[in-house]
Amino acid sequence: MAPRQSTLPAVLACGEIRTCLLPARQALDSRSAAQLLGLRAGERVLLSERPGLYARSPDTLTGVDCPLPSANGARVRAVGTVTAHAALTEGRVLQTSAHCRLPGTGPDRRRPWGEYLVRPGVVEPLGRLPHEAVAQGVLGGPRQGDLDVGLIADGLLTRVLRHPLLDQRPPFRSRPTRLRWAALPAPPGEGPSLERFTLAEDELRTVRLRVPEGTSGTELAALCDDLALHDWLLTTVVRMLDGLRLGAGAAQDAGTVVRSLRPAVDHLLHLWMPGARVGRELAALWDPLEERPGFTRQWQVLVQRIRDQLTLHAVPAVHREVDPAPGPPAVLPRE
C-alpha cells in the first residue's frame, strides 16, 4: 500500500540516504528480502521482479521536535515526523532513506502529537520557514541538536544490518556512501530541475533540486534513492579498478586481476538501470547527469574496461606479452 500523502503544500523537502553492499555471502531471494525488511508487524514488504528484483520496507515514522539546520544561524523550531524506509536491490545493495517535507508556515505554538501523526512525513515549523537558509543548512550538514535526517537513516541501517539472516561475509570489500538532498519549489509554471550534484567528500554527495509545488515526497525520495544507488555503483567499480596496476609490466598476475574484477561481473554490472523506478514527472531529472558528468557514459567505459581485462587475462601469458618485432639486420659499412 502506498504511503498516505498530506494535502499540505511542501515548500521544502529534504532527506538523506545510506547505500552499501549487503553483508551476506549470497544475494537474498525475494522471500529472504521480505524477512529482512519486515520492519513493522502486520505490514507487507513491497516486492517487485521487473525490471529487477527489488524489495522495499514499510515506512517507519520518527517523531522530532528540534531546531532546523540553517545557513544563516536562524533558530526555527519544528515538530513532526520523519519518514524512513529500507530497500534492497537484486538482493545485494542495501539502502536506508529518511526524508520529510516542511511547509512554508506553521502555527505559533506546538500542536498536540496526534495532529502531527495524521500527517506522516511532515515536519512543521513554528512560524515562518526561511526555506533557502534551511535548504543550505541541510546540504551543509546540521549542527548538534538540529534536525538530522541522516541520523535516522543511520539508525535504520544499523537495525537492518543486525538481522540474523546476514552472515556478515560480503563477497568483496566496499565502502558505503551518503547522499543528502534538498528540493525547493520551482518558479510557477516551470517543471522540475536538478540545480546541483556535488561530490562533497569521499562518501558524501549532495543534490539540490527544484520541483513544482505539490510534488509527492515519496516520488522525490524514490528519485534520490535511484541517484544514490547508481552513484554507489559507479564509485564502487571505480575503486575496484583504482587499486590495480594494469598493462604490460604490471605487478599483479592474471589470477589477482581476475579475482579483483570478477565480483563486479558477478554482483554489480547487471544492476545499472537509471530511472527504472522513478516516476514519470521526475524522470527527466536524470538527463543533466547523463549529459554532464555522464553517468551512463562513464559506466559503459568502466564495464568495457573490466571485460577487456578479463578477456586479456584469459589468454596465456606467453601470448599476452609480445615483444616488438625485430627490425632488419644492421648493415656494417665497408672499410
Side-chain angles (χ1 to χ4, degrees):
M1 181 180 295
R4 292 173 56 192
Q5 293 296 313
S6 169
T7 57
L8 276 174
V11 170
L12 173 66
C14 62
E16 197 157 331
I17 302 152
R18 302 291 184 267
T19 307
C20 67
L21 182 69
L22 190 74
R25 193 67 182 170
Q26 299 294 328
L28 300 189
D29 59 20
S30 57
R31 180 176 298 181
S32 298
Q35 290 180 318
L36 179 74
L37 301 182
L39 302 180
R40 298 180 64 176
E43 294 198 29
R44 296 181 61 184
V45 172
L46 172 67
L47 293 172
S48 172
E49 295 183 352
R50 300 289 184 275
L53 180 60
Y54 176 80
R56 186 184 185 278
S57 76
D59 284 340
T60 64
L61 296 179
T62 301
V64 295
D65 183 346
C66 55
L68 295 172
S70 174
N72 64 7
R75 302 296 284 175
V76 179
R77 181 184 172 190
V79 187
T81 58
V82 175
T83 301
H85 66 266
L88 190 62
T89 300
E90 288 290 355
R92 180 50 73 197
V93 183
L94 175 65
Q95 293 183 285
T96 57
S97 174
H99 61 95
C100 62
R101 292 165 293 147
L102 296 99
T105 58
D108 293 331
R109 296 190 213 173
R110 189 183 183 281
R111 304 177 191 266
W113 262 117
E115 296 188 30
Y116 296 108
L117 293 176
V118 298
R119 296 194 299 272
V122 174
V123 176
E124 194 174 58
L126 300 189
R128 192 172 180 83
L129 177 76
H131 56 275
E132 181 64 38
V134 170
Q136 293 180 25
V138 166
L139 296 178
R143 297 171 295 183
Q144 187 172 5
D146 288 349
L147 174 65
D148 190 341
V149 293
L151 285 179
I152 296 172
D154 268 336
L156 184 57
L157 181 63
T158 299
R159 176 182 171 186
V160 174
L161 291 178
R162 288 175 177 166
H163 199 285
L165 271 175
L166 306 179
D167 58 21
Q168 307 303 323
R169 297 174 59 209
F172 60 94
R173 297 180 65 181
S174 64
R175 285 189 276 174
T177 57
R178 298 176 291 150
L179 187 141
R180 187 181 293 157
W181 61 272
L184 292 99
E190 292 191 10
S193 63
L194 191 152
E195 289 191 337
R196 191 179 305 126
F197 179 92
T198 305
L199 274 66
E201 301 169 9
D202 279 349
E203 285 81 28
L204 175 65
R205 288 82 174 92
T206 62
V207 177
R208 179 183 167 105
L209 305 161
R210 292 273 181 184
V211 295
E213 195 66 57
T215 299
S216 161
T218 301
E219 292 295 328
L220 270 171
L223 166 72
C224 294
D225 287 354
D226 196 51
L227 294 178
L229 170 65
H230 289 83
D231 172 76
W232 181 87
L233 289 170
L234 265 179
T235 302
T236 301
V237 172
V238 166
R239 286 171 177 164
M240 280 183 174
L241 286 163
D242 193 43
L244 292 175
R245 290 184 57 199
L246 302 173
Q252 284 90 351
D253 59 19
T256 300
V257 172
V258 171
R259 282 193 299 273
S260 298
L261 297 182
R262 181 171 176 173
V265 179
D266 290 344
H267 304 286
L268 302 181
L269 298 192
H270 60 291
L271 302 185
W272 191 262
M273 285 183 278
R277 301 188 184 280
V278 178
R280 183 176 300 176
E281 293 181 358
L282 299 179
L285 292 179
W286 257 106
D287 294 345
L289 293 174
E290 297 292 24
E291 293 171 8
R292 184 178 180 184
F295 268 45
T296 297
R297 202 161 51 238
Q298 183 182 7
W299 179 258
Q300 290 170 345
V301 169
L302 293 170
V303 169
Q304 189 59 52
R305 191 176 178 205
I306 288 171
R307 289 175 174 162
D308 287 347
Q309 287 298 319
L310 292 176
T311 300
L312 179 64
H313 285 86
V315 177
V318 66
H319 300 297
R320 216 181 320 126
E321 302 294 340
V322 179
D323 293 328
V331 178
L332 297 178
R334 294 182 180 180
E335 294 184 358

